[in-house]
Amino acid sequence: MDVSIFHVLGPVMIGPSSSHTAGAAKLARTARAIAQKPFHHVSFGLHGSFAKTYKGHGTDKALVAGALDISEKDERLTDSFELAKKAGLDYDFYETDLGDVHENSVKFTFAFEDGTIMEVVGSSVGGGEIVIRKINDFAINLSATLPSIIIKQYDTKGVLSDITRVFAKHDINIATMSVSRTTKGEKALCIIESDSPISDAVGDQLREVKNVIDVMILNLISEEDEDV
Amino acid sequence: MYNNIRELLDMCESEDMPLWKAVVENEKKLSDTSEEQIFETMAKRYEIMTAAAKRQLGTSPNPSKTMINGLAKGQFVHAQTGGLSGSFLNRVMAYALSCSEVNASMGKICAAPTAGSCGILPAVMVGVAEERMLDQDTVYRGLITAAGIGAVITQNATVSGAEGGCQAECGVAAGMAAAAVVEMLGGTPRQSATACSLALVNVMGLVCDPVAGLVQIPCAQRNASQAVNAIISADMALAGMPCIIPPDEVIDAMYQVGRMLPCALKETALGGIAATPTGKKIFRSFFSD
């Protein structure tokens, strides 16, 4: 039997819908973690079922809560609009067509203090589970159920072996690894999922690897690890 | 270990272990955890379930909040008079309605197995534990039994309303709760599985038709009625009633029926009571602004 009993009796969450409320909050919280630096505005582009039914399921409140790093299990989720006001975070919602993606998908646009923006597209795929599909122009497939690291690098020979060497040195097992690029020889994205949390020291060392441009570490706590 | 109910029962019977124990052994391996840790986590989940089952019992109706606000209180007050089906069943229904109200008003719940069906297992567990004065460990063993059965159904069929209709959400919750009651009241593993089968048979084909697409009507009523289904199915199994069709075949039949149901009857709010003139009117009043 491959299904955990705590997957059946769970998740513990704020209602009413695991996909439209809990999953939406988790998706926004993951997108926030990918954004990495402080942002003052976030736009939520709602696709499919999210665009049609978000009000009745509190999807809007859940998304704002996630953008504030409030978990899908935290009762403050319901007050997220007021909490955003206090935190000085602006937001807006609009309906959009993201093409051939899951019914419950969102395009996040984070606006940073320095005038730059970042776009993240993700889906709430049911039962509170999520998948990140796109970071800026890079198509990816990240469920964030394991500690993950996202590395932006130049698409050159040898860069991946330099990256994996850092993992070996820190005795971290790589569970999955995927690479995507927009154009040959230009920027590429490498996503590595690991069985154990990834320390900042690993991130620092990866940043020193030749041809690595940027490193993001996502140690999002999975449900089983949380105190519920 | 096991991949279906038959193998689970074989394991219990050949090693002379209760159903909950077999489930614990599997979970220990699967999640690399200990029996103590499993019980601790289950205790935390049960605390959340109990809080949701009780929270709305004294809350007066307030239609500006949700369409189902106040239903639990009404049923709980009625339970004190005994009603027709007795104070126990009326209380169980009130607990289930309370969970549904908490869920609809963005309160904290534990999905069991889904958010829409989150009232059934808590209502049955809290109600039976009070009625029979069961200790906490007995309740946790019941919850493990329920979850173990639910895990098999999740793996071999579906617990999603969008995929299998209400029978897959509230029906499975009733099946899980029925199995738990039999375990808590001293029935055999086979009787637990039979209770689950009977609950599923009783609700085979039930459609998922939420008014305005919201997890409120008829979800709250189905939580209440399926909690009662769990209890009567457990009673039938404890009386020695067999389910002529083996549990795995019943689960597969439920899955096949779910696949046969048209999309309009699977959470899309395009059929059933959602598609009635009044259902459509409510939909427009929510989403027309």
Side-chain angles (χ1 to χ4, degrees):
Chain A
M1 183 48 47
D2 274 338
V3 177
S4 165
I5 55 172
F6 295 110
H7 177 79
V8 178
L9 296 194
V12 172
M13 54 169 269
I14 303 303
S17 163
S18 58
S19 56
H20 286 63
T21 322
K26 188 175 175 186
L27 184 58
R29 200 156 66 96
T30 308
R32 174 200 156 100
I34 289 168
Q36 301 265 302
K37 49 186 183 177
F39 48 90
H40 60 85
H41 188 279
V42 52
S43 288
F44 303 99
L46 306 175
H47 169 92
S49 171
F50 268 14
K52 297 283 165 278
T53 65
Y54 71 97
K55 278 183 203 160
H57 295 300
T59 307
D60 46 359
K61 287 180 182 173
L63 287 170
V64 171
L68 291 167
D69 205 23
I70 294 170
S71 133
E72 61 275 16
K73 302 166 179 26
D74 189 330
E75 278 172 317
R76 289 179 301 157
L77 188 150
T78 359
D79 306 320
S80 66
F81 290 173
E82 289 100 90
L83 292 169
K85 200 179 260 178
K86 276 187 204 156
L89 175 66
D90 283 333
Y91 54 85
D92 67 275
F93 298 94
Y94 63 99
E95 288 186 23
T96 187
D97 185 351
L98 297 173
D100 187 22
V101 292
H102 191 279
E103 270 290 284
N104 302 328
S105 293
V106 185
K107 179 177 177 178
F108 300 88
T109 308
F110 296 101
F112 302 113
E113 308 293 348
D114 60 8
T116 59
I117 61 162
M118 179 188 255
E119 289 180 351
V120 178
V121 174
S123 312
S124 171
V125 295
E129 300 299 322
I130 62 126
V131 178
I132 299 291
R133 288 292 181 198
K134 218 171 166 190
I135 300 176
N136 288 332
D137 289 334
F138 292 96
I140 60 163
N141 191 350
L142 176 77
S143 62
T145 47
L146 291 173
S148 312
I149 193 157
I150 302 173
I151 302 163
K152 197 198 267 183
Q153 79 271 9
Y154 289 106
D155 180 31
T156 52
K157 285 174 193 153
V159 63
L160 291 178
S161 63
D162 290 344
I163 289 169
T164 52
R165 207 169 295 127
V166 173
F167 277 78
K169 213 170 107 190
H170 283 85
D171 198 25
I172 297 173
N173 183 44
I174 294 176
T176 72
M177 181 166 175
S178 64
V179 184
S180 61
R181 65 182 181 193
T182 47
T183 315
K184 190 180 175 188
E186 292 186 11
K187 287 172 188 173
L189 214 59
C190 168
I191 296 180
I192 294 172
E193 292 184 310
S194 132
D195 294 318
S196 46
I198 301 161
S199 70
D200 289 339
V202 175
D204 290 342
Q205 277 207 337
L206 284 169
R207 282 186 196 94
E208 285 166 20
V209 170
K210 197 181 162 202
N211 287 318
V212 164
I213 304 162
D214 197 10
V215 176
M216 309 170 200
I217 299 173
L218 303 177
N219 284 320
L220 291 173
I221 303 161
S222 75
E223 190 205 329
E224 276 67 33
D225 302 329
E226 265 186 68
D227 196 28
V228 282
Chain B
M1 300 285 266
Y2 57 87
N3 283 301
N4 53 39
I5 303 290
R6 183 181 54 79
E7 289 173 11
L8 175 60
L9 293 180
D10 284 350
M11 184 177 157
C12 293
E13 285 166 5
S14 68
E15 298 181 33
D16 196 23
M17 61 163 75
L19 214 160
W20 67 268
K21 185 78 180 163
V23 175
V24 162
E25 289 309 315
N26 184 74
E27 187 68 23
K28 274 160 65 178
K29 273 201 186 145
L30 179 65
S31 303
D32 192 21
T33 183
S34 66
E35 183 168 327
E36 196 186 7
Q37 188 59 48
I38 292 169
F39 273 76
E40 258 174 49
T41 306
M42 208 44 103
K44 284 176 188 159
R45 302 262 156 125
Y46 189 55
E47 209 174 294
I48 290 158
M49 290 184 194
T50 309
K54 303 266 176 164
R55 199 186 90 178
Q56 295 298 108
L57 297 179
T59 307
S60 295
N62 179 354
S64 73
K65 288 200 163 167
T66 66
M67 292 185 281
I68 58 172
N69 195 270
L71 298 186
K73 186 184 179 185
Q75 206 65 42
F76 194 61
V77 169
H78 185 66
Q80 282 147 18
T81 71
L84 182 61
S85 51
S87 63
F88 167 59
L89 283 186
N90 275 289
R91 251 192 347 263
V92 166
M93 287 193 277
Y95 295 156
L97 292 166
S98 175
C99 293
S100 291
E101 284 186 42
V102 169
N103 185 50
S105 60
M106 298 189 81
K108 193 189 258 191
I109 56 101
C110 178
T114 62
S117 61
C118 73
I120 295 157
L121 189 64
V124 171
M125 301 306 278
V126 171
V128 172
E130 285 174 356
E131 185 70 10
R132 291 297 174 98
M133 291 184 287
L134 303 175
D135 61 54
Q136 294 291 75
D137 273 346
T138 303
V139 174
Y140 303 152
R141 290 194 284 266
L143 286 169
I144 291 167
T145 302
I149 298 272
V152 173
I153 301 176
T154 302
Q155 183 165 297
N156 295 347
T158 179
V159 298
S160 148
E163 216 182 332
C166 191
Q167 55 157 10
E169 287 205 26
C170 291
V172 169
M176 288 162 53
V181 171
V182 169
E183 162 70 37
M184 293 193 296
L185 299 187
T188 64
R190 200 160 286 274
Q191 283 175 320
S192 271
T194 300
C196 172
S197 301
L198 291 169
L200 285 174
V201 166
N202 290 344
V203 75
M204 184 88 35
L206 188 64
V207 303
C208 177
D209 50 354
V211 170
L214 302 175
V215 193
Q216 297 185 25
I217 296 171
C219 315
Q221 290 79 3
R222 301 248 170 92
N223 271 264
S225 56
Q226 288 312 308
V228 174
N229 178 22
I231 288 165
I232 60 170
S233 297
D235 247 343
M236 286 190 249
L238 286 166
M241 181 191 287
C243 184
I244 302 297
I245 312 297
D248 294 309
E249 293 183 30
V250 172
I251 291 165
D252 190 51
M254 182 278 287
Y255 189 34
Q256 297 309 326
V257 166
R259 295 168 75 124
M260 283 182 240
L261 284 174
C263 264
L265 300 176
K266 290 189 277 195
E267 217 180 309
T268 51
L270 297 172
I273 66 152
T276 57
T278 304
K280 286 182 190 163
K281 204 170 121 190
I282 294 170
F283 182 89
R284 284 194 298 272
S285 73
F286 264 95
F287 297 112
S288 63
D289 57 25

